[in-house]
Amino acid sequence: MAHAIAPELIARFAALVGDRYAITDTHEIEPYQRERRDLYRGRAPLVLRPGSVAEVSAILALASETGTAVVPQGGNTGLVGGQIAHDGEIVLSLSRLNAIRSVDPDNDTMTVEAGVVLDDIHKAADSADRLFPLSLGSEGSCQIGGNLSTNAGGTAVLAYGNTRDLVLGLEVVLADGRVWNGLRSLRKDNTGYDLKDLFVGAEGTLGIVTAAVLKLFPKPREMATAFAAVASPAAALALFATARAKAGTQLTACEILPRVGLDFVLRHAEGSRDPMAEPHPWYVLLELSSPLKGADVDAMMQAILEDAFEAGTVRDAAVAASVAQAEAFWQIRLMLSEVQRKEGGSIKNDVSVPVGMVPEMLERGITTVSAMIPGVRPVPFGHIGDGNLHFNFSQPEDMARDDFMAQWGAVTDAIDDIVLALNGSISAEHGIGFMKRNLMEHIKDPVELEMMRAIKATLDPKGILNPGKVV
Amino acid sequence: MAHAIAPELIARFAALVGDRYAITDTHEIEPYQRERRDLYRGRAPLVLRPGSVAEVSAILALASETGTAVVPQGGNTGLVGGQIAHDGEIVLSLSRLNAIRSVDPDNDTMTVEAGVVLDDIHKAADSADRLFPLSLGSEGSCQIGGNLSTNAGGTAVLAYGNTRDLVLGLEVVLADGRVWNGLRSLRKDNTGYDLKDLFVGAEGTLGIVTAAVLKLFPKPREMATAFAAVASPAAALALFATARAKAGTQLTACEILPRVGLDFVLRHAEGSRDPMAEPHPWYVLLELSSPLKGADVDAMMQAILEDAFEAGTVRDAAVAASVAQAEAFWQIRLMLSEVQRKEGGSIKNDVSVPVGMVPEMLERGITTVSAMIPGVRPVPFGHIGDGNLHFNFSQPEDMARDDFMAQWGAVTDAIDDIVLALNGSISAEHGIGFMKRNLMEHIKDPVELEMMRAIKATLDPKGILNPGKVV
């Protein structure tokens, strides 16, 4: 059961947003309590759905006055339990703050509220003949406030950066209800401390992001997509290096997947087919883009692949001859999470290392976990160009799912140790949230942790913002 | 005279670095007291030149214990007095921490100490067949620690970002001497708060940066440079929009200058010549780059200019036919600061606005200041693609220099008001330092200023780090 909040206090909070937007009914609260992997179940006595920044401000002022803990929630697609009320906190849903306040094509910026769904931002950018590049599996339901608060990554980081790199300004409601208007839309501004980047990636523990100024980019007019077979992660890395050297930021994606991943897709995804005649141990998906109509990105792709063939890096390659074929290559990559679910239990790691260390991380991780669980099926895939892999393991075919999943902690610990030994990160994209909070003492040097705690105490002295998360 | 620091305390500090690196002699101290524009003169009783991070740590531990104020200094090229001891503080010079600790071409990173001169970083990157893109007028003497602490901009921001965007990790000595090792070299790491970006641009008021992990990029193999004549800032902006839409991040520079700037160069810079047969009111320097050997950037430039001619945006254009010609075009742009000095007094503003607002800012600024000082010669130039101009004014030809320079405050106030009305920044590149600290109350909303002060108090509770700067 949720911590009791006195009915009269619930009534005070409800009065701030109107009864219609103050949810206490067990059934209606349910969607805010469950997250997509079903790893956690929330216990919130109250969900508030404010319709304005002023209402968010009033809620936090009252929360601060009464010492009431608040968990901000966007599209509820987070993977580390950061958006869940674990201990009876109030859930503050930002989904009604969903206006696109303005689009400025001259400045290549857009000002949006926290509750706008990522796909709606894509559409608005497209209408202005621009690109907003952030791209994630959950883009149909995740909200930009959550993307900002978790510094979301995705498949376009290589050329465009993480969410942090895509934002110029923020509006934030602070723990005591004060509103910081930092909605600047400047490319250069050296007037004091960079507060914006404190809130980006803080997972709602330092303030609640209510709006942001996002960067827009020219739309790609020409694209080339290739699916290449390589012998090993080291060969995949060599192919990445060649592509990066030749294409620079026109290399807009470089993703690796193992044969078993393709096997899973072929087995479970209707209409999928192997782009190659023969099986190969590893594959790399390469994408090049140019905003210039008529730019010969195919020639650039050819130059990359020719070099790679000559160097013996690539064993086979298919270049998409049509948009449909490019989409089919991408589908293989994008189906990987889903098809793993159909192969039984899956233990997931979201890790990064310096790019050159990826092969060593893979070799050590696969060897270690294979020794722990004979027959385990490693399915590491993802953003090799960023040094970031989803280093997942599917259960052995002949093992009970529960027995395998009971190894979650042991496997993630083993992978984390390898990653840390290579100066990597145990959470490259997904954040710390609730899931990894207990690891912070282990992974951070004490000075860094002390600074984080000091900043938390400074900006949220009563500890009401998403308590029990991150620090 | 400098504040008195007791001789025995000076001796304690000197013992930490050795007498040879503890400077108290008036004559030897002089170079650390003067800055390049001669606007300020320092008053430091002691300059310390530590040779290791441990020595920096020991100095700050002692400074913290004794409440002694410390001003960090790099290449002493700052333009807002941030690196000067205004009130008898100790100057802590980072110049002996000048090792390039490592270069990692696989990861496209380099780890350098704070005292490395920017040009030496360029050379080391070049030796590894990579580019470090930060490029400034003072690159032959400025140090990366200063670049980081001021979040330096320069001419490559359009494609590569400010210094903030070029750093992955930092090593910082905190006010009490603790050393934070945040030297990560990861493209993705979502484990807690982004502390790095607090120190970048904090001008040494929150901690002293001693080392950094920098991003490297593929070297450009093909470049195209054009010098285009346009009728107005609005036309320059339209040309930028066309170039950006077609070239994306391959547009590596877009700089504007007025006719009077070219006149100054032709008058004072030996060997310079007008790229056009006829005079025009404004000029735009465009540069395209590609890392792909053989990439047809000339065709891309032609496509941009043809579109611009058709739209009536461009009146004339010269595309460099050789490297020498490209350098000659760049020389016109790079000589602008120097030649202004030869035309008498110059009042300088380093401002930015949303890119689409540049024409309005220029029109209002030129009209306002021309009414204040009849005959004044506006020389606004710079990074139109970033919305950042050096909005300078040269004195009327028939005015006494001192009379003109006495108007500095009135002119910068007038420009600042226009910039703020357009939601711009009064310090786009150069920082706040000592020069603009008194403006902070005027330009920042109270909530932002309160947050900055709270963070300053948290990280530097005794106020010993570069006091009197920024906040």
Side-chain angles (χ1 to χ4, degrees):
Chain A
M1 272 302 297
H3 273 197
I5 298 188
E8 74 178 32
L9 184 51
I10 287 184
R12 285 179 72 189
F13 276 112
L16 298 174
V17 296
D19 282 344
R20 185 170 162 200
Y21 298 113
I23 307 172
T24 53
D25 177 85
T26 314
H27 186 69
E28 283 179 60
I29 258 183
E30 189 59 13
Y32 300 90
Q33 312 253 43
R34 302 185 65 150
E35 41 79 61
R36 63 196 301 195
R37 283 186 187 162
D38 249 338
L39 291 175
Y40 310 105
R41 167 165 296 268
R43 306 187 303 149
L46 174 66
V47 174
L48 295 172
R49 302 187 61 220
S52 68
V53 177
E55 288 182 6
V56 177
S57 168
I59 291 166
L60 287 192
L62 180 57
S64 179
E65 177 199 325
T66 57
T68 310
V70 172
V71 177
Q73 189 179 97
N76 192 10
T77 61
L79 297 171
V80 290
Q83 75 280 23
I84 296 297
H86 295 267
D87 203 26
E89 306 92 330
I90 290 177
V91 168
L92 195 161
S93 165
L94 278 302
S95 56
R96 286 181 63 221
L97 269 68
N98 62 353
I100 293 178
R101 292 192 191 164
S102 66
V103 180
D104 181 351
D106 286 339
N107 196 43
D108 278 335
T109 51
M110 181 193 286
T111 305
V112 300
E113 293 185 344
V116 182
V117 169
L118 179 52
D119 250 356
D120 292 333
I121 294 176
H122 292 156
K123 285 174 196 149
D126 197 62
S127 298
D129 201 30
R130 295 291 185 278
L131 171 75
F132 182 66
L134 182 66
S135 181
L136 312 173
S138 58
E139 59 197 27
S141 54
C142 67
Q143 296 169 10
I144 191 66
N147 300 145
L148 288 158
S149 294
T150 59
N151 186 29
T155 52
V157 172
L158 197 55
Y160 300 98
N162 295 286
T163 303
R164 182 184 307 291
D165 302 300
L166 303 176
V167 58
L168 291 176
L170 290 182
E171 178 185 77
V172 180
V173 179
L174 302 182
D176 57 8
R178 281 177 302 162
V179 180
W180 173 45
N181 181 350
L183 286 175
R184 284 182 283 266
S185 57
L186 302 171
R187 306 281 157 173
K188 287 181 170 177
D189 178 25
N190 280 343
T191 55
Y193 306 148
D194 175 26
L195 301 173
K196 161 175 70 69
D197 285 313
L198 261 188
F199 296 104
V200 175
E203 305 184 36
T205 64
L206 298 179
I208 296 184
V209 173
T210 50
V213 179
L214 306 176
K215 289 188 199 169
L216 301 177
F217 294 81
K219 269 170 72 170
R221 310 281 175 190
E222 304 289 348
M223 298 182 94
T225 310
F227 197 85
V230 295
S232 64
L237 191 66
L239 175 57
F240 163 68
T242 299
R244 162 95 174 159
K246 290 195 187 296
T249 50
Q250 291 189 270
L251 178 65
T252 42
C254 185
E255 302 277 316
I256 188 174
L257 62 147
R259 176 69 207 184
V260 66
L262 179 55
D263 283 338
F264 286 5
V265 171
L266 296 174
R267 197 175 303 158
H268 301 292
E270 215 175 315
S272 61
R273 46 183 295 264
D274 191 336
M276 317 264 154
E278 301 291 323
H280 297 279
W282 293 87
Y283 301 95
V284 176
L285 179 70
L286 289 174
E287 183 191 83
L288 304 176
S289 309
S290 172
L292 183 64
K293 191 76 198 161
D296 200 350
V297 284
D298 286 330
M300 185 180 266
M301 186 66 89
Q302 285 305 336
I304 291 166
L305 292 174
E306 273 166 28
D307 256 36
F309 272 114
E310 264 178 44
T313 302
V314 167
R315 295 159 57 135
D316 195 2
V319 179
S322 64
V323 172
Q325 211 174 352
E327 277 172 6
F329 292 170
W330 267 110
Q331 268 311 102
I332 294 169
R333 163 65 184 83
L334 296 174
M335 291 297 292
L336 284 174
S337 293
E338 196 173 318
V339 294
Q340 276 173 84
R341 247 176 263 146
K342 308 204 170 162
E343 290 283 334
S346 175
I347 296 174
K348 295 172 192 298
N349 298 278
D350 163 44
V351 295
S352 69
V353 289
V355 177
M357 296 288 114
V358 168
E360 184 171 349
M361 172 184 76
L362 285 173
E363 193 192 325
R364 288 169 66 173
I366 290 170
T367 304
T368 301
V369 176
S370 299
M372 291 166 66
I373 310 173
V376 73
R377 294 172 294 169
V379 195
F381 69 96
H383 325 296
I384 188 170
D386 306 317
N388 169 211
L389 292 204
H390 302 295
F391 201 166
N392 297 353
F393 293 89
S394 281
Q395 65 168 80
E397 294 184 74
D398 56 358
M399 192 171 185
R401 183 194 153 93
D402 286 353
D403 291 348
F404 178 71
M405 294 303 274
Q407 301 291 311
W408 183 292
V411 170
T412 57
D413 283 356
I415 295 297
D416 287 352
D417 285 347
I418 291 164
V419 165
L420 292 170
L422 297 171
N423 295 312
S425 169
I426 64 151
S427 192
E429 292 194 319
H430 299 165
I432 295 296
F434 181 78
M435 181 189 268
K436 301 185 178 180
R437 184 198 43 159
N438 291 333
L439 298 173
M440 288 291 273
E441 300 264 3
H442 181 51
I443 65 171
K444 292 288 177 190
D445 87 26
V447 173
E448 185 162 348
L449 218 45
E450 283 159 29
M451 272 198 283
M452 287 186 192
R453 286 177 180 148
I455 285 166
K456 168 74 174 174
T458 300
L459 292 178
D460 179 22
K462 297 190 176 176
I464 61 165
L465 287 172
N466 218 359
K469 315 287 168 61
V470 188
V471 287
Chain B
M1 272 304 296
H3 274 196
I5 299 188
E8 73 177 34
L9 184 52
I10 287 184
R12 286 179 71 190
F13 276 111
L16 299 174
V17 295
D19 282 343
R20 184 170 163 199
Y21 299 113
I23 307 172
T24 53
D25 176 86
T26 314
H27 186 68
E28 284 179 60
I29 254 183
E30 188 59 13
Y32 300 90
Q33 312 255 42
R34 302 185 66 151
E35 41 79 61
R36 63 194 302 192
R37 284 186 186 162
D38 249 338
L39 291 174
Y40 310 106
R41 168 166 296 270
R43 305 186 304 151
L46 174 65
V47 173
L48 295 172
R49 302 186 61 219
S52 69
V53 176
E55 288 182 6
V56 177
S57 168
I59 291 167
L60 286 192
L62 181 56
S64 178
E65 176 200 326
T66 57
T68 310
V70 172
V71 177
Q73 189 178 97
N76 193 10
T77 63
L79 296 171
V80 289
Q83 75 280 21
I84 296 297
H86 294 267
D87 203 27
E89 306 92 331
I90 290 177
V91 168
L92 195 160
S93 165
L94 278 302
S95 56
R96 285 181 64 222
L97 268 69
N98 62 354
I100 293 177
R101 291 192 190 164
S102 66
V103 181
D104 180 352
D106 286 340
N107 196 42
D108 278 335
T109 52
M110 182 193 287
T111 305
V112 299
E113 293 184 344
V116 182
V117 170
L118 179 52
D119 250 356
D120 292 334
I121 294 177
H122 292 156
K123 285 175 196 147
D126 197 62
S127 298
D129 201 30
R130 294 291 185 279
L131 172 75
F132 182 66
L134 183 65
S135 180
L136 312 174
S138 58
E139 59 197 27
S141 54
C142 67
Q143 295 169 10
I144 191 68
N147 301 145
L148 289 158
S149 295
T150 59
N151 185 29
T155 52
V157 172
L158 196 56
Y160 299 98
N162 296 285
T163 303
R164 183 184 308 291
D165 302 300
L166 303 175
V167 57
L168 291 176
L170 290 182
E171 178 186 77
V172 180
V173 179
L174 302 182
D176 58 8
R178 282 177 301 163
V179 179
W180 173 45
N181 180 352
L183 286 175
R184 285 183 282 264
S185 57
L186 303 170
R187 306 281 158 176
K188 287 181 169 178
D189 177 25
N190 280 342
T191 56
Y193 306 149
D194 175 27
L195 301 173
K196 162 175 70 70
D197 285 312
L198 262 188
F199 296 103
V200 174
E203 304 183 38
T205 64
L206 297 180
I208 295 183
V209 173
T210 51
V213 180
L214 306 176
K215 289 187 199 170
L216 301 177
F217 294 82
K219 269 171 72 170
R221 309 284 175 191
E222 304 290 348
M223 298 182 93
T225 310
F227 197 85
V230 295
S232 65
L237 191 66
L239 175 57
F240 164 68
T242 300
R244 163 93 173 161
K246 290 195 187 297
T249 50
Q250 290 189 271
L251 177 65
T252 42
C254 185
E255 302 278 316
I256 188 173
L257 62 146
R259 176 68 207 184
V260 66
L262 179 55
D263 282 339
F264 286 6
V265 171
L266 296 174
R267 197 175 302 158
H268 301 292
E270 215 175 316
S272 61
R273 46 183 294 264
D274 190 336
M276 316 265 155
E278 302 290 324
H280 296 279
W282 293 87
Y283 301 94
V284 175
L285 179 71
L286 289 174
E287 183 191 83
L288 304 176
S289 308
S290 171
L292 183 65
K293 191 76 198 161
D296 199 349
V297 283
D298 286 329
M300 186 181 265
M301 185 66 89
Q302 285 304 335
I304 291 166
L305 292 173
E306 274 167 27
D307 257 35
F309 271 113
E310 264 178 45
T313 302
V314 167
R315 294 160 54 135
D316 196 3
V319 178
S322 65
V323 171
Q325 211 174 352
E327 277 172 7
F329 292 169
W330 267 110
Q331 268 311 102
I332 294 170
R333 163 65 185 85
L334 298 173
M335 290 298 290
L336 284 174
S337 294
E338 196 173 319
V339 294
Q340 278 173 82
R341 247 177 262 147
K342 306 202 171 167
E343 290 284 334
S346 175
I347 296 174
K348 294 171 191 300
N349 298 279
D350 164 43
V351 295
S352 68
V353 289
V355 176
M357 296 288 114
V358 168
E360 184 172 348
M361 172 184 73
L362 285 172
E363 193 192 323
R364 289 168 66 172
I366 290 170
T367 303
T368 301
V369 177
S370 298
M372 291 166 66
I373 310 174
V376 74
R377 294 172 295 168
V379 196
F381 68 97
H383 324 297
I384 188 171
D386 306 316
N388 170 211
L389 292 203
H390 302 295
F391 201 166
N392 296 354
F393 293 88
S394 279
Q395 65 168 82
E397 293 183 75
D398 56 358
M399 193 171 184
R401 183 194 153 95
D402 285 353
D403 291 348
F404 178 71
M405 295 302 275
Q407 302 290 312
W408 183 293
V411 169
T412 56
D413 284 356
I415 296 296
D416 286 352
D417 286 347
I418 291 164
V419 165
L420 292 171
L422 297 172
N423 296 313
S425 169
I426 65 152
S427 193
E429 293 194 319
H430 298 164
I432 294 297
F434 181 77
M435 182 189 268
K436 300 185 178 180
R437 182 199 43 158
N438 290 333
L439 297 174
M440 289 290 273
E441 300 263 3
H442 181 52
I443 65 170
K444 292 289 177 191
D445 88 26
V447 173
E448 185 162 349
L449 218 45
E450 282 159 28
M451 272 198 283
M452 287 186 191
R453 287 178 179 147
I455 285 166
K456 168 74 174 172
T458 300
L459 292 178
D460 180 22
K462 296 189 177 178
I464 61 166
L465 286 173
N466 218 359
K469 316 286 169 61
V470 188
V471 287

